[in-house]
Amino acid sequence: MMPVTQMLFLYLLYYSEGNPILKKDAAEVIGVTRTSITRASDQLAAMGLISQEMHGKECRMISSDKGMKLFEMGRPYLINPIQQTIITVFDDQYNKLPLSGESALAKQTTLNSPSIPIRAIHKTKIDPRTISSIDTRWSNEDNVVKLELWKYDPSYFAKNEIVDPVSLTMSLEDNVDERVEGAIEEYLEEYQW
């Protein structure tokens, strides 16, 4: 999926509850152009995740299912939202960013928090060239944070200062730690879709 397509999928997954959604409304909510929504909805339709129907002059999108079933249908197409990761000195402004990675998973499950907190931000909201990166192997800085620069804005779907469960799952998809895999399964099973 393209990042915009994934955002549209997440919007339909979390907010449509199987009800039709107008393309113009989706474009407004997730902050993209109608042209981008059209491309994204066409991609979702080609994957069999939605159907589209004209209602007057407006096009409505209808999810093929809802909740966990829709997530499982879309899972093979979903992308890891992380573009880049930077470890840097903690700044109070980072407290406003949603928790991500193992930090977010630890808030929702019995997994222990990582030694370095993890926060997510859209890649356009910060210039990585202006951040001094720290290598924790050679630094004795105690006050550090790991910033994940995402391909789409994690704050759109974040709740309670934590990134959404689908994006969190995809960001940890390549993690081979059995504790993390178990915590993800636990989180998804208990999540109220």
Side-chain angles (χ1 to χ4, degrees), residues 84-96:
Q84 181 181 358
T85 302
I86 300 171
I87 298 176
T88 189
V89 175
F90 182 81
D91 186 305
D92 283 338
Q93 68 178 337
Y94 301 141
N95 271 335
K96 298 173 186 164

Side-chain angles (χ1 to χ4, degrees), residues 42-153:
D42 288 347
Q43 191 176 27
L44 290 176
M47 294 171 185
L49 300 173
I50 66 167
S51 59
Q52 302 181 84
E53 61 182 41
M54 292 303 293
H55 191 264
K57 292 183 177 182
E58 296 292 339
C59 185
R60 300 190 313 180
M61 302 172 291
I62 303 158
S63 302
S64 298
D65 214 318
K66 57 184 180 178
M68 183 65 140
K69 288 183 182 178
L70 182 59
F71 166 59
E72 289 299 336
M73 289 172 66
R75 192 172 190 163
Y77 306 106
L78 295 169
I79 60 170
N80 182 339
I82 302 171
Q83 174 104 19
Q84 181 181 358
T85 302
I86 300 171
I87 298 176
T88 189
V89 175
F90 182 81
D91 186 305
D92 283 338
Q93 68 178 337
Y94 301 141
N95 271 335
K96 298 173 186 164
L97 303 176
L99 289 171
S100 185
E102 291 180 36
S103 292
L105 199 54
K107 289 281 187 190
Q108 302 297 324
T109 66
T110 58
L111 186 71
N112 289 333
S113 294
S115 58
I116 299 174
I118 305 167
R119 301 278 180 166
I121 187 170
H122 187 242
K123 65 182 180 179
T124 62
K125 292 188 176 180
I126 196 163
D127 184 353
R129 296 172 296 184
T130 63
I131 301 171
S132 46
S133 184
I134 294 174
D135 186 337
T136 53
R137 295 175 298 179
W138 310 110
S139 173
N140 59 0
E141 293 280 348
D142 290 335
N143 199 16
V144 296
V145 64
K146 183 186 284 187
L147 293 178
E148 294 177 346
L149 280 55
W150 279 29
K151 298 170 187 168
Y152 53 87
D153 194 338

Side-chain angles (χ1 to χ4, degrees), residues 22-57:
L22 295 176
K23 284 186 181 182
K24 69 175 185 141
D25 293 343
E28 188 176 310
V29 170
I30 61 176
V32 297
T33 65
R34 288 187 186 191
T35 304
S36 295
I37 284 293
T38 297
R39 270 183 265 157
S41 65
D42 288 347
Q43 191 176 27
L44 290 176
M47 294 171 185
L49 300 173
I50 66 167
S51 59
Q52 302 181 84
E53 61 182 41
M54 292 303 293
H55 191 264
K57 292 183 177 182

